[in-house]
Amino acid sequence: YPLCALAVSALAVTHCEAELGFITFEDLLQLLEEMICDVVKAVMEDCGDIVKSLNPAAYIPQRPFVRLDYGDAIKFCQENNIYKDEETKTHFEFGDDIPDAPERKMCELIGKPILMTRFPASIKSFYMSRCPENTDLTESVDVLMPGVGEIVGGSMRIWRYDELMAAYDREKIDPSPYYWFTDQRKYGAVPHGGFGLGVERLLVWLLNQDHVRNVCLYPRYIGRCQP
């Protein structure tokens, strides 16, 4: 994440990256719920006294998380005056990317963990699978936690060779540097998906900290590169 004024930013962060084969989009959503709940449960059982000393209100999130399609998130922002531009009071429109600050406001109003899903292909990476019911949308997900916003970004991946080549062409990307990625589709890919979890962002939520630097062992930012 780039350095900025947000409470969840630093120059160096830890990401937990995973790819899973032979799954569906629903499998991916359920796995993210299970992973977050199980990890927090394990931490609370192992060292809950330490967690509670930093955040007396710490809790294990309960399944199911709130499911919120991107289109419904745009409507929610419009109906609850969560603006694209606070100064001009400009509302979000379908196709806009929703930044961290408005995501956090939305999450605070809902008050529960959210799986925000099915973002437009126009604002997502070329390799994300399209939704079979609407090919303008992607099988994508952001996990949002109250007080923090996004802690996970994930999606199903294009696994058919012809679809991937068409995606390169559509985005005007030269596929030659990505031969290793393309060859996986050419020689026997399977339906698969994956995600990236911001470890420090999860810790910021669990420990109720006001900045990601507080949960980094050696935070790096402008003016501080060592240790």
Side-chain angles (χ1 to χ4, degrees):
Y1 305 101
L3 182 71
C4 60
L6 298 178
V8 290
S9 299
L11 286 176
V13 296
T14 306
H15 243 209
C16 171
E17 301 282 349
E19 294 289 325
L20 304 102
F22 301 99
I23 64 168
T24 65
F25 186 43
E26 180 60 29
D27 292 335
L28 178 63
L29 300 182
Q30 291 189 24
L31 179 136
L32 289 172
E33 286 185 346
E34 291 171 2
M35 177 189 68
I36 292 168
C37 293
D38 289 352
V39 166
V40 174
K41 180 182 179 183
V43 170
M44 294 299 289
E45 289 176 350
D46 187 59
C47 53
D49 54 336
I50 297 175
V51 173
K52 288 286 189 178
S53 71
L54 294 167
N55 178 17
Y59 65 94
I60 301 170
Q62 299 298 305
R63 302 178 61 204
F65 292 0
V66 173
R67 302 286 182 96
L68 187 68
D69 281 354
Y70 165 88
D72 293 328
I74 292 293
K75 292 178 184 177
F76 184 90
C77 289
Q78 293 171 343
E79 293 169 358
N80 289 276
N81 295 327
I82 300 174
Y83 296 110
K84 179 179 178 180
D85 187 317
E86 284 287 347
E87 290 187 8
T88 63
K89 305 301 182 187
T90 303
H91 282 290
F92 284 99
E93 300 293 339
F94 193 92
D96 289 333
D97 190 18
I98 305 176
D100 273 349
E103 276 186 341
R104 289 200 299 274
K105 288 183 181 179
M106 181 173 61
C107 206
E108 285 302 307
L109 288 175
I110 294 173
K112 297 178 180 179
I114 300 170
L115 294 174
M116 189 156 70
T117 58
R118 298 178 176 85
F119 292 80
S122 59
I123 62 172
K124 284 297 183 179
S125 298
F126 73 94
Y127 55 77
M128 294 186 178
S129 295
R130 301 298 181 94
C131 295
E133 68 275 13
N134 184 349
T135 55
D136 290 332
L137 305 178
T138 56
E139 292 184 313
S140 52
V141 56
D142 285 354
V143 181
L144 312 179
M145 300 299 280
V148 180
E150 181 186 346
I151 66 167
V152 177
S155 75
M156 297 298 290
R157 320 303 198 192
I158 293 174
W159 64 280
R160 291 186 172 89
Y161 176 80
D162 291 344
E163 288 183 27
L164 182 59
M165 296 307 293
Y168 286 136
D169 185 62
R170 184 173 56 252
E171 299 296 327
K172 296 180 172 54
I173 296 173
D174 177 8
S176 57
Y178 306 103
Y179 66 91
W180 51 273
F181 189 69
T182 308
D183 281 355
Q184 293 174 25
R185 277 74 181 163
K186 188 185 294 184
Y187 298 115
V190 299
H192 64 285
F195 62 88
L197 163 69
V199 176
E200 286 91 354
R201 287 187 175 213
L202 177 59
L203 288 172
V204 164
W205 170 78
L206 179 61
L207 302 178
N208 192 32
Q209 295 298 299
D210 59 7
H211 205 293
V212 72
R213 295 172 187 168
N214 297 342
V215 299
C216 292
L217 182 59
Y218 299 116
R220 294 177 177 87
Y221 46 88
I222 294 175
R224 186 184 191 279
C225 291
Q226 320 184 29

